[in-house]
Amino acid sequence: MHLEKQYFHIYYARSVDNGKAKECITSALTGLETIEPLVRSVEETPEPISTEVQGTIPSWINGKLLRNGPGKFEFGNTHYNHWFDGMAMLHQFKIANGQVTYMSRFLNSDAYKNNSEKDRIVMSEFGTLAMADPCKNIFQRFLSRFEMMAPTDNASVSFVKYKGDYFVSTETNFMHKVNPNNLETLEKVDWSKFIAVNGATAHPHYDSDGTTYNMGNSYGSKGAQYNIISVPPEKTDAKDTLQGAKILCSIAPRNKSHPSYYHSFAMSENYVVFIEQPIKMDLLKIVTCKLRGKALSDGIYWDPKQDTVFHLVDKQSGEVSSVKYHTKAISTFHQINAFEEDGFLMLDMCCSEDGQAINNYLIQNLRKSGDALDEVYNTMSRVFPRRFVLPLHVNGESPSDQNLNTRPFSAATCVQISKDKVFCQHEDLHGDDLLEYGGLEFPQINYRRCNTRPYRYFYGCGFRHLVGDSLLKMDLKDKTLKVWYQKGFFPSEPAFVPSPDAVEEDDGLILSVVLCPSQDKGAFLLVLDAKNFEELARAYVPVNMAYGFHGTFEASA
């Protein structure tokens, strides 16, 4: 379904690419619908309730779609400033025999409990600095400014799995073990009790042998370090959480007092790929933010003068490749896939030309309307899927100043600049029609079958708004797309569920939670046929929901 042309203006510009004039299309949207109801506080639904199913959900799908995201944005008279700050709400859609039940619970974190008890924000978050206790005297409040900001345990980003157990995670050193059957908060787990890191991403990767890989920073007397982490697949005790976790290797930032921010990383069969991007963290600003009366987010900035650098780490030996792969300044939050073939590593990810989006997702921006909302959207850079081709066998004898990418039908380039430096230019993983849908984010693949391997399809959200407003299926064979779009509806990150008798890569279903800000209690679970992208069913949820971040599908045994 194509979008209504009257809602955006198209501008044409000409640029020079390899000596040829190239036509580019940029779009400025007007008349965007307000999405303020999608970032309102909502009530939890702690007991399962029935949904109204319209259409037919295939009988073979049985399991739980688990979702995570912010669900409460104020306590008493205090409110959060940034979308990432809201209190974690966990959601469960249980699918069985063509029917769906829904339940949700707030994560029972220390942040949630302390804020609730005081009826005000007492734990600082990414974009919100908690105010000093009004019950303290002036001198005590002054002294509290010199205390280090405590890391939050508000794990609102995703569901992750370690050793067969489910955890919810953010990017600090704290996770919470949860029960996927009733969403009960079970145990607070601190990464720093097991390995010397100060946090870990909410996007680990899972190897075929069950080993889980992640990344986390450490901060010490020698400055910051990026650390590659592995967690073994098996428990040695029923109470195990992260026991046996180890640091495979550490990578020094180019500037140890200004390391890069990263939300995720990539993994191929033999390598972990760390993307050191020019979204930088000013550690001095961060450690003094409380003293300066600023939120942690004040210490994060975009430096477009720096390259983005890809670091390759051997998963078995932990050896860091001496060859560094550079490209121009880009930012990335989510990778699509990475795989090795014919001596190259293909790195596919969603990229933007600048890294300031993180600062645009203030709650006040998400709640704007009219021209003010249009302006926020139109000043943001779009995100598009791209492929970088990294030659794995670069040495002193490799030819310099010529394209080392010998893969047929690939437009990506990689040129050796010096013995240990290769400069890469991407190729697009899309056609011009993706421009019409505002780019693509929240990418997903048939992970179990295709992660670290060559693949053909990926799925994501189109972004003709500040949140996803369409679902997209990209075919890498001919760079075509299929679309689910209905005006006024805002789908979440798609989850791919393979059918039990799958033969082809896209045999299965797409699940997405869809919200409608113009309708009270207008949310539903959408079920699409992943192959033809046709709608099969909706399961209407009789409650209001906030727009969430990430999740996973757990198939029933």
Side-chain angles (χ1 to χ4, degrees), residues 16-300:
V16 175
D17 182 23
N18 295 328
K20 298 178 181 179
K22 181 183 177 183
E23 199 166 53
C24 335
I25 305 174
T26 59
S27 58
L29 287 144
T30 59
L32 289 175
E33 175 183 358
T34 180
I35 56 169
E36 187 271 340
L38 307 189
V39 285
R40 282 183 194 161
S41 295
V42 293
E43 299 294 323
E44 62 182 0
T45 307
E47 297 297 329
I49 58 173
S50 297
T51 66
E52 179 190 343
V53 176
Q54 294 183 2
T56 303
I57 299 175
S59 59
W60 60 258
I61 182 169
N62 287 279
K64 305 176 190 73
L65 177 65
L66 304 170
R67 296 269 307 154
N68 196 352
K72 186 172 177 63
F73 299 95
E74 62 280 313
F75 286 90
N77 295 322
T78 59
H79 61 85
Y80 290 112
N81 299 322
H82 200 283
W83 192 22
F84 298 172
D85 300 344
M87 292 291 98
M89 177 175 267
L90 315 182
H91 307 261
Q92 179 209 85
F93 294 83
K94 185 176 182 180
I95 308 171
N97 303 316
Q99 297 300 308
V100 181
T101 61
Y102 169 79
M103 66 179 297
S104 63
R105 298 177 81 164
F106 282 110
L107 177 67
N108 200 26
S109 63
D110 289 344
Y112 180 76
K113 288 185 288 189
N114 293 339
N115 292 341
S116 297
E117 180 185 344
K118 301 287 188 182
D119 196 31
R120 65 181 181 86
I121 295 171
V122 297
M123 172 67 76
S124 294
E125 299 289 342
F126 172 76
T128 305
L129 178 68
M131 292 297 102
D133 187 345
C135 296
K136 290 183 177 181
N137 62 40
I138 293 176
F139 184 64
Q140 289 173 320
R141 290 203 296 270
F142 173 74
L143 288 180
S144 71
R145 286 195 165 207
F146 294 89
E147 298 169 356
M148 284 291 292
M149 185 182 292
T152 182
D153 67 335
N154 176 36
S156 64
V157 178
S158 191
F159 276 83
V160 298
K161 211 170 185 180
Y162 293 98
K163 301 183 182 182
D165 291 329
Y166 278 101
F167 298 78
V168 287
S169 178
T170 179
E171 296 178 342
T172 69
N173 52 305
F174 294 120
M175 297 191 298
H176 285 273
K177 185 178 177 180
V178 296
N179 183 339
N181 296 315
N182 61 10
L183 303 182
E184 180 185 1
T185 305
L186 299 176
E187 180 183 358
K188 182 178 175 179
V189 178
D190 183 349
W191 275 99
S192 66
K193 301 295 184 186
F194 300 92
I195 51 176
V197 296
N198 296 90
T201 81
H203 290 288
H205 275 292
Y206 309 100
D207 227 341
S208 56
D209 67 357
T211 302
T212 305
Y213 292 88
N214 208 335
M215 284 197 63
N217 282 5
S218 56
Y219 307 101
S221 58
K222 297 181 180 179
Q225 295 278 337
Y226 310 120
N227 302 291
I228 312 297
I229 304 163
S230 70
V231 180
E234 302 294 336
K235 293 183 179 182
T236 56
D237 183 273
K239 296 182 179 179
D240 264 12
T241 54
L242 296 174
Q243 283 82 355
K246 65 179 181 180
I247 293 177
L248 277 181
C249 72
S250 299
I251 300 170
R254 284 178 284 178
N255 182 337
K256 289 191 174 185
S257 63
H258 292 253
S260 290
Y261 167 80
Y262 54 93
H263 183 70
S264 57
F265 61 99
M267 186 179 83
S268 67
E269 181 181 1
N270 296 296
Y271 298 95
V272 167
V273 185
F274 168 53
I275 300 137
E276 189 175 19
Q277 59 186 351
I279 303 178
K280 296 296 180 179
M281 299 187 292
D282 185 327
L283 296 187
L284 180 60
K285 278 191 171 183
I286 287 172
V287 299
T288 61
C289 59
K290 196 170 181 181
L291 177 63
R292 298 182 299 110
K294 298 286 187 180
L296 185 149
S297 57
D298 181 64
I300 295 180

Side-chain angles (χ1 to χ4, degrees), residues 418-463:
S418 61
K419 179 184 176 184
D420 292 327
K421 182 177 180 179
V422 175
F423 191 84
C424 302
Q425 291 182 297
H426 71 272
E427 62 180 309
D428 292 334
L429 295 182
H430 63 90
D432 287 346
D433 49 358
L434 183 59
L435 301 173
E436 188 178 339
Y437 296 95
L440 182 147
E441 248 291 4
F442 292 142
Q444 293 290 306
I445 61 172
N446 184 341
Y447 191 93
R448 184 180 294 273
R449 175 169 170 161
C450 298
N451 188 50
T452 76
R453 301 181 182 95
Y455 69 114
R456 179 172 173 179
Y457 303 105
F458 64 96
Y459 312 85
C461 288
F463 270 76

Side-chain angles (χ1 to χ4, degrees), residues 394-415:
V394 176
N395 54 48
E397 298 178 3
S398 301
S400 60
D401 299 325
Q402 72 180 57
N403 184 12
L404 300 179
N405 180 14
T406 56
R407 289 174 59 82
F409 312 113
S410 173
T413 64
C414 42
V415 176

